[in-house]
Each structure stands twice: as C-alpha cells, then as structure tokens.
Amino acid sequence: MKYLPINPSLFTTNRKNFTSKMKPNSLAVFNSNDIYPISADSTMPFEQHRDIFYLSGVDQEESILVLFPDSPKEKHREILFLKETNAHIAVWEGEKLTKEAAFETSGIKTVYWLQEMEKIMFEIMTQCDTVYINTNEHYRSNTETETREDRFTKWLKEKYPAHAVAKSNPILQRLRSVKDPIEIDLIQQACNITEKGFRRILNFVKPNVWEYEIEAEFMHEFLRNRSKKFAYTPIVASGNNANVLHYVENNKQCKAGDLILLDVGAEYANYSSDMTRTIPVSGTFTKRQKAVYSAVNRVKNNATKMLVPGTDWAAYHVEVGKLMTSELLDLKLLDKADLQNENPEWPAYKKYFMHGTSHHMGLDTHDYGILTEPMQANMVFTVEPGIYIPEEGFGIRLEDDVVIQKSGEPFNLMRNIPIEAEEIEEIMNS
C-alpha cells in the first residue's frame, strides 16, 4: 500500500461499536471485493470493500471477516480468513498478509487461511441463531454486477436455511457516518494532497492547455504524495462543458476567457476528498464571471454555517434554495414572475442550480449516512452549490469538505485550498 500504517485501534473500536449493536447470539460476515476482469488476462485495479476495511483494515482480495461476540470460544469472537500466502505468490503477485501482519493491521488474533473457512463456519453457525448479511443499501446504489458479498450470502442462506437473517447495513450506515478522530485525520490527509494538486495546476493552466493535461498534473501530484488514484472520476470542464454535471471526457482545449470547473479529489488510505474549484483560463475573471463566482461562494459560506448537530438534511436543502434564489435574483437570472409561477416540486432556482448541496463523505465519496436522521457532530459533509448558465457559456461550482462540530460552525478540511477569486487570480498571475 502507498499509505502509511493506520493505528489498529481504529478498527478495534469500529468492531466494538458494531458488535454492541448486534442481536444476542448472532454473527456477522463481511467479504472483500472481487478483482474484476476486463478481458483476456487483464483486470481492474483492486478496490477493497469499504465495510471490511472499516472493520479490519485488511486491504487485500479474498478476505473474510467474521464477528461472533457471543461465541463460546473466545478465539472465535473475531476471525479473519485470508488467502494463504507463499513464496510463489510473493514472487508473482507480491507479498500478501501473513497471520502476524494481519494481526498487526487489524488487532484480530484469530486468523485462518481461506481453505479452512467452510469447516470453521460450520462450527460457529451451529452455535448462533442469527446471521448478519451485508447488503448495499446506499441511497445512490445501482449495482448490476453480482459481488463476492452477494455470492457468499447466497451460499450461506442455502447452506444454513434455518438461521434468522439480519442486515448489517443499517448499523454500518449509522456508525460509518460519524467519524473517529483517526478517520478525520485520514480525510484531512486526502484533502491536503488535493490542495497540493490544485496549487500545482494554478501555476500550470494557460490558454490552449488541454483538459486532460490538467488531469495529468493532478494525478502526478497525487501519486507523489502517497495517493493511489483520484477518489472519483475527475471532472475537468472548460467553457460550456461545466454545464454537464458529470462531464468526465476531459478532452477539450481550454480557450482564453473561459472558465474551468475542476471537480477533483485525491484518495488516501481508501478515504476520499471531494473538492470543486472554478478558475479562469487566462488567470483573470471577467466582471460577470466574478459576480456569479461571488454569488456561489456566498451561498457556500452561508450554507456551511447551517451544518450543525440536529440539522435536518431535507430542511437544510430548502434553506439553501432560498439563499440561491436571492442570489439569482440579484444576478438577473430570475425575476419575480419566475418565482410567482414556479412549480413547488421544482423551484425556479433549479433552472440554474439543479443538484443537492451536501452529501456525507468518508470512505466513499458519497458516504454512508441515513438522510432522514438529524446531523451529528463528527459527520463529514461536502458543501457544493453551483450556478450553471449554458446561454453564457460557463458554469461555476465551489466545494469544500467540512466536519460538523459539537458547537459552532463546521471545521473546514479544505480551509487551506485557495477559493477566493482574488487569491486565485494572484496565484495564477504570480
């Protein structure tokens, strides 16, 4: 792994928090992701399933975590099953976790090789009444591929049909949405790497540069700072491309006078950052561009102040809509007639700001969190308003990642990343 070792106390604490929510005499099972094929002998880079990582820190394929807090055998209260490593594997694929290294990573003492899984599972399944399966219930989930977790669940339910079944996901949604201080430090590290990439491109961008060249500059800086990749597919959208919300082609030339919307974030140790900045290709905003930019920035700053414990996510978005409506009126993009004739289900402001303002952030860019429950301290949210004006040939979005505090305004993990229009102009023209 490119990232530095993580204190295993994080994973020990996460397991303790999870098992405290389990039913009596139950066990829970978590699988790593597959390595997905492309064609021939090619595969996609391995990405660990965030749940098993959250609970163990194990970051390799063919791994299984079992939690059985009421096991009659103390050694079976936490179990890791791992792919057995050997000298041949070390030569061809690189070293895998040994039993000792797995303990150092996870804090789990009982580690078996994967070929022992069915035998051990039979023993412990005869001792429990309920099994927790791990389904993906994220509100944005749309998965067509059968995962390793899905296959394991199918096998488990067929082999042990008499067991009661419970869901891990509601527990994980609540636990993962509230960050441990170690997690916040890891997200901060991802944000710091993103800052390095952004400062690099501020000195790189000039008229006629290509969007993919900017993407390459970010990736260079990310890799040299221990990030293995972008946290999500990067958006480098110049001119009217910014008005396509998920523009990821990044293949156009940046023209003088245009703006570039950069929605880019580094990952670090599987934790995400999620930044958006909008910068002028020529190093200077026009008067109109700066007016719209300042409006977006004001909405972002005022929306951020609303992220406090107890805030309702849906009500928050209604209030942000009011802020945006006021700015759009001042910019002459809306008038009073637009408001009088608006559809309450799709308010007038959504013509220019059609997406949400905030989402949970953490191990996943759109992280776990139950949106119908009030916000809590140590949740991490993005704040990302935008104004998109196809008829004027540009769109502006600004985004920071913030941690909700017990009292007062959120702590901005991107506080050191330039965002004021004047600061961006100064750096680009220095």
Side-chain angles (χ1 to χ4, degrees):
M1 306 307 161
K2 291 181 173 65
Y3 57 86
L4 297 172
I6 300 170
N7 188 331
S9 68
L10 170 63
F11 310 116
T12 301
T13 298
N14 291 346
R15 291 193 300 276
K16 187 179 299 182
N17 290 338
F18 183 90
T19 55
S20 71
K21 306 293 183 184
M22 292 172 65
K23 297 177 180 181
N25 207 36
S26 63
L27 67 78
V29 187
F30 303 90
N31 278 265
S32 62
N33 276 333
D34 285 318
I35 298 177
Y36 291 98
I38 298 173
S39 67
D41 62 346
S42 299
T43 60
M44 298 178 70
F46 175 68
E47 282 288 331
Q48 183 57 296
H49 194 299
R50 300 309 191 232
D51 291 335
I52 191 173
F53 183 82
Y54 175 79
L55 294 166
S56 72
V58 169
D59 202 354
Q60 71 179 37
E61 72 283 4
E62 297 184 49
S63 306
I64 301 173
L65 169 67
V66 178
L67 301 177
F68 186 10
D70 294 332
S71 171
K73 288 185 179 179
E74 184 177 352
K75 72 173 186 175
H76 283 167
R77 292 173 188 170
E78 297 182 338
I79 304 171
L80 272 176
F81 294 101
L82 300 179
K83 177 180 179 179
E84 183 173 4
T85 191
N86 55 45
H88 177 81
I89 290 173
V91 168
W92 285 90
E93 300 178 27
E95 290 186 4
K96 302 294 180 183
L97 286 173
T98 63
K99 292 182 178 182
E100 295 76 14
F103 168 68
E104 291 172 3
T105 297
S106 66
I108 296 174
K109 295 178 182 178
T110 303
V111 182
Y112 293 109
W113 298 131
L114 200 55
Q115 56 261 37
E116 299 177 82
M117 185 273 292
E118 291 199 33
K119 175 186 173 184
I120 301 298
M121 282 298 295
F122 179 79
E123 177 184 344
I124 60 179
M125 287 294 284
T126 63
Q127 298 165 344
C128 78
D129 301 318
T130 302
V131 57
Y132 280 82
I133 60 172
N134 194 28
T135 52
N136 185 352
E137 298 180 20
H138 189 275
Y139 69 102
R140 289 179 181 239
S141 173
N142 181 24
T143 306
E144 297 183 6
T145 304
E146 185 179 54
T147 65
R148 188 180 187 87
E149 196 85 84
D150 295 335
R151 294 196 308 276
F152 188 90
T153 296
K154 188 184 297 183
W155 169 81
L156 194 70
K157 291 169 75 174
E158 287 176 355
K159 189 168 180 65
Y160 302 100
H163 281 70
V165 174
K167 300 190 300 183
S168 298
N169 196 260
I171 300 175
L172 286 167
Q173 289 267 11
R174 291 183 174 91
L175 293 180
R176 276 184 49 184
S177 66
V178 180
K179 271 49 179 184
D180 183 277
I182 295 174
E183 293 184 285
I184 292 172
D185 287 345
L186 293 169
I187 299 169
Q188 180 68 78
Q189 180 67 8
C191 291
N192 292 347
I193 296 170
T194 300
E195 178 192 354
K196 292 177 187 292
F198 182 61
R199 289 186 180 276
R200 180 185 182 95
I201 68 98
L202 285 178
N203 292 313
F204 173 78
V205 167
K206 57 185 180 300
N208 299 321
V209 71
W210 291 79
E211 292 167 348
Y212 58 77
E213 293 181 295
I214 297 171
E215 180 180 347
E217 293 297 307
F218 272 111
M219 191 70 255
H220 176 96
E221 201 65 26
F222 290 0
L223 282 171
R224 70 192 295 266
N225 283 282
R226 293 185 177 272
S227 170
K228 66 181 176 183
K229 64 181 184 65
F230 292 100
Y232 50 92
T233 306
I235 297 170
V236 182
S238 62
N240 238 330
N241 295 333
N243 294 309
V244 180
L245 295 182
H246 291 134
Y247 172 81
V248 294
E249 297 298 324
N250 302 347
N251 63 358
K252 297 294 191 296
Q253 198 169 26
C254 304
K255 302 299 184 182
D258 277 350
L259 299 181
I260 312 172
L261 188 155
L262 305 161
D263 192 337
V264 176
E267 72 78 48
Y268 179 77
N270 293 315
Y271 283 84
S272 294
S273 64
D274 190 355
M275 176 202 76
T276 308
R277 294 292 187 268
T278 306
I279 65 173
V281 174
S282 301
T284 305
F285 294 94
T286 67
K287 183 178 179 180
R288 176 62 169 175
Q289 290 168 348
K290 188 171 285 189
V292 177
Y293 188 101
S294 297
V296 174
N297 204 16
R298 279 192 296 272
V299 172
K300 185 189 75 68
N301 291 336
N302 289 320
T304 300
K305 296 173 185 176
M306 300 181 199
L307 297 176
V308 297
T311 295
D312 175 79
W313 187 81
Y316 159 77
H317 279 91
V318 171
E319 293 304 310
V320 174
K322 294 176 182 177
L323 294 174
M324 183 59 78
T325 298
S326 176
E327 295 290 351
L328 293 173
L329 287 168
D330 289 345
L331 291 167
K332 309 300 183 188
L333 290 168
L334 294 180
D335 58 30
K336 291 182 179 179
D338 293 317
L339 303 189
Q340 291 168 353
N341 298 321
E342 72 180 5
N343 176 357
E345 298 299 315
W346 191 256
Y349 77 84
K350 285 189 173 288
K351 178 179 179 181
Y352 297 101
F353 174 39
M354 61 292 296
H355 58 78
T357 308
S358 294
H359 58 77
H360 287 273
M361 228 256 326
L363 276 169
D364 288 296
T365 304
H366 297 113
D367 205 23
Y368 279 1
I370 298 175
L371 299 181
T372 54
E373 297 182 357
M375 297 180 185
Q376 300 177 47
N378 291 331
M379 286 182 171
V380 179
F381 279 94
T382 63
V383 190
E384 49 180 309
I387 294 175
Y388 308 92
I389 319 174
E391 58 270 27
E392 297 185 32
F394 68 90
I396 294 172
R397 182 165 67 250
L398 300 173
E399 176 182 23
D400 283 335
D401 305 333
V402 303
V403 187
I404 293 180
Q405 304 294 290
K406 289 182 180 178
S407 61
E409 294 183 19
F411 181 76
N412 189 351
L413 296 170
M414 294 186 162
R415 63 202 175 278
N416 295 325
I417 303 179
I419 194 168
E420 297 301 326
E422 293 76 16
E423 183 182 6
I424 287 172
E425 288 177 329
E426 182 181 350
I427 295 172
M428 293 186 76
N429 290 290
S430 61

